[in-house]
Amino acid sequence: MKLTVGQALVRYLASQYSERDGVTRRLIPSAWAILGHGNVAGLGQALQELGPEVGLPTYRAQNEQAMVHAAAAFAKHSNRLMVQACTASVGPGSLNMLTAAAGATINRVPVLLLPSDLFANRRPDPVLQQLEHPTEHDVSVNDAFRPVSRFFTRIWRPEQLLSALPQALRVLTDPAETGAVTIALPEDVQAEAHEWPAAMFERRVWQVPRRTADAAAVEALTRLLNNSTRPLIIAGGGVIYSEASVVLARVAERLGVPVAETQAGKGSLRWDHPYNVGPVGSTGGSAANELASSADLVIAIGTRLSDFTTASHSAFRQDARFAGINVSAFDAHKQGAVAVVGDARATLEALMHAEPAATSQAYRSQIAGLKAAWDDTVIRLVQPPATPGTEGLSQAEVIGIVNSVCDADSTVINAAGSMPGDLVKLWRSQDVKAYHVEYGFSCMGYEIPAGIGVKLAEPQRHVVVLIGDGSYLMLNSEIVTAVAEALDLTIVVVDNHGFQSINSLQTSLGTPSFLNQLRFRTPASGQLDGANVPVDFVAHARALGAHAVAVHAAPDLAAALVAARREGGVRVVVVETPMTNRVPGFSSWWDVPVAATSQDSGVAAARARYERQVANVREHRFGTVREHHDESEEQQ
Ligand SMILES: Cc1ncc(C[n+]2csc(CCOP(=O)(O)OP(=O)(O)O)c2C)c(N)n1
Ligand SMILES: [Mg+2]
């Protein structure tokens, strides 16, 4: 079959399917594009001519970073069983995808990136937007994708597609290896014709494996549980991708083990499941953090154990033992864990067959007590008693109100700022897909494109994007895309006049407020310490084609949210919140370095506090120092 590289690629992508648990679906059902001279006549032509015929629609974004965020959210919401392709023009268009590519890779989420590249034949060198590296002449800006991709290749000749594509798809569909997959496509090669074998375009089903863990590893985990009196499970995103919630609930109930949640794992168990003890770590709640600090065994399931989860290695006992259930050996081994490398659902099922010992009644009562107290704390935070003189809704109240209009069919989306920490504490997930917060890369600007990605993955879903004023100002232009696609999307802009999360961090570390609040520069001081810069978010959102309202009081916010869901369309609700009145921390810490010397006494005091806290960091992460507890050694 004679087709251009672009046309062959479109036909091939449309013939790929994924299958897990007997359910087959299109692996790459749609694409994103921003066209330029690098791809308009190559891949752009192919998507135009063949897209309708093979059933591969293309969405047009306003910003390449945003379209990759949307694709990442699409894959995350699809449990990594569906992927979107993203094509961008040569040079800046392609490089704009870089940030979101890193986000996808860090979050273990598949995206297929098709950056355009400089001419393979080099005839017009230097083509518009070519880097022209002075000593490495074959290097292009796309080489910057290498460190942020799980697979990278460049197609200098058409026939290279034949070996490259199966490898690219293997990585996209492998739960342990997945992330950004990048195929750089020189602009002339995209348009070149080649005679392709018919077999290339036959329907191909990619089996997404549920790898079973090594039996000896499951036995080792069973022994650890049998010897533990205070085990704690940490549920990460892998639990959700593996659809392991039902067996996780059974493990928790039968064995009497509490389940703490990470940002990506929130929703693994419903908020009101008796063994869901809430978030753990730097932004953890009282129940999970108390249990973490006294646990003798931590079973980390499907989590990368980032610093937010481990409270920068200060959340756990020095002598706590770890087990890691993870599809990726890289993650399973963290903290010197007994690595149980396998699919979360399959491994938990194997664990149940091994019938480990259950915990004591006393431990279970303690879990129930801590959970009840935490649940009360959440209610107090989202429904504070009215205090005369305080103006406006607090961020916690806003979160509580948004949560109250959401149900099991709703998904809330967020990524950066002060909201992820508050949401993970306060949000009550009624469904495994209720909570979509990107906190692996915590990339400002993810929020609105992610709302589009989730809507495309599950059009019937009620989607609410929560976004700070800072993130909104950084990347809001996909509102136009959502309008063009006639999506139903609610966007709540929480306006606290600046980067208040970083402002709080800055001042808590002793430095006076600097550059984080959105204020006018004052001629007298020469600093940005004047009045708030007024930004009319309502007028802005309307200008982009959305419906928009500003609300101030609780009933108005609730009414606006209900109306947004009922009326449909892109609806932006702007709510101003005070800069103070924050959700507190609960016995937690986050390692952020403080200047070791400064003339400012506030900084010096913060440094002294910092050094005391660093002393709590868990030193032993090699698994070896505790081997004398091992049952097999005791028997010797
Ligand atoms: C792309 C990107 N740039 C910078 C940061 C660092 N950063 C984290 S939160 C934040 C401020 C966010 O402001 P806003 O969205 O208004 O949320 P708020 O902190 O006020 O809650 C910044 C600058 C980031 N996470 N992502
Ligand atoms: Mg803000």
Side-chain angles (χ1 to χ4, degrees), residues 123-170:
R123 203 166 47 219
D125 263 24
V127 66
L128 176 70
Q129 302 168 326
Q130 183 168 331
L131 174 67
E132 285 198 282
H133 195 288
T135 57
E136 300 191 36
H137 200 219
D138 63 341
V139 164
S140 83
V141 292
N142 287 345
D143 287 279
F145 280 91
R146 291 177 188 273
V148 298
S149 299
R150 292 305 307 266
F151 181 81
F152 177 93
T153 189
R154 182 178 278 124
I155 303 297
W156 291 120
R157 296 164 61 101
E159 59 270 36
Q160 289 174 337
L161 267 191
L162 294 169
S163 61
L165 284 174
Q167 290 299 335
L169 278 270
R170 174 186 64 76

Side-chain angles (χ1 to χ4, degrees), residues 5-208:
V5 163
Q7 292 158 0
L9 198 54
V10 169
R11 273 201 185 282
Y12 174 84
L13 296 181
S15 319
Q16 308 303 305
Y17 291 76
S18 70
E19 183 187 322
R20 192 170 72 176
D21 305 329
V23 182
T24 307
R25 46 183 83 63
R26 273 280 296 283
L27 175 62
I28 304 171
S30 47
W32 283 96
I34 290 184
L35 303 179
H37 70 96
N39 58 349
V40 67
L43 206 41
Q45 186 280 334
L47 286 163
Q48 185 280 324
E49 183 180 311
L50 295 180
E53 184 187 326
V54 300
L56 191 82
T58 309
Y59 302 106
R60 190 271 217 200
Q62 319 308 320
N63 171 297
E64 291 89 354
Q65 177 183 326
M67 76 186 182
V68 180
H69 285 322
F74 176 90
K76 180 178 163 82
H77 193 78
S78 314
N79 289 333
R80 314 190 292 198
L81 299 168
M82 292 198 295
V83 179
Q84 289 182 314
C86 300
T87 165
S89 189
V90 68
S94 287
L95 222 50
N96 263 355
M97 298 198 290
L98 206 55
T99 303
T105 293
I106 284 170
N107 285 300
R108 299 0 182 193
V109 165
V111 290
L112 175 59
L113 306 183
L114 305 169
S116 300
D117 220 317
L118 48 91
F119 280 65
N121 68 25
R122 312 265 174 97
R123 203 166 47 219
D125 263 24
V127 66
L128 176 70
Q129 302 168 326
Q130 183 168 331
L131 174 67
E132 285 198 282
H133 195 288
T135 57
E136 300 191 36
H137 200 219
D138 63 341
V139 164
S140 83
V141 292
N142 287 345
D143 287 279
F145 280 91
R146 291 177 188 273
V148 298
S149 299
R150 292 305 307 266
F151 181 81
F152 177 93
T153 189
R154 182 178 278 124
I155 303 297
W156 291 120
R157 296 164 61 101
E159 59 270 36
Q160 289 174 337
L161 267 191
L162 294 169
S163 61
L165 284 174
Q167 290 299 335
L169 278 270
R170 174 186 64 76
V171 175
L172 283 174
T173 54
D174 186 321
E177 293 197 31
T178 202
V181 165
T182 305
I183 304 178
L185 295 163
E187 51 181 299
D188 52 346
V189 178
Q190 286 181 46
E192 239 164 71
H194 185 75
E195 201 64 57
W196 306 94
M200 178 177 174
F201 309 113
E202 278 166 19
R203 178 187 161 101
R204 166 78 209 262
V205 181
W206 296 84
Q207 208 70 45
V208 179

Side-chain angles (χ1 to χ4, degrees), residues 480-553:
V480 175
T481 310
V483 168
E485 298 291 347
L487 299 180
D488 298 332
L489 192 62
T490 304
I491 299 169
V492 181
V493 182
V494 179
D495 181 11
N496 57 18
H497 306 287
F499 300 158
Q500 297 301 344
S501 53
I502 308 301
N503 194 67
S504 303
L505 181 63
Q506 180 172 54
T507 51
S508 77
L509 301 180
T511 306
S513 180
F514 175 62
L515 302 183
N516 282 314
Q517 301 194 333
L518 191 52
R519 293 180 182 278
F520 286 103
R521 195 173 292 280
T522 315
S525 69
Q527 301 293 323
L528 293 168
D529 58 4
N532 288 333
V533 178
V535 179
D536 189 341
F537 290 101
V538 170
H540 181 273
R542 283 186 186 151
L544 299 185
H547 305 269
V549 289
V551 295
H552 302 282

Side-chain angles (χ1 to χ4, degrees), residues 299-320:
I299 305 173
I301 311 178
T303 163
R304 302 184 307 121
L305 288 174
S306 82
D307 62 348
F308 264 84
T309 300
T310 67
S312 305
H313 301 289
S314 69
F316 309 108
R317 264 165 52 175
Q318 293 280 351
D319 65 345

Side-chain angles (χ1 to χ4, degrees), residues 402-416:
V402 176
N403 203 166
S404 71
V405 302
C406 286
D407 53 32
D409 293 327
S410 308
T411 295
V412 68
I413 294 175
N414 187 245

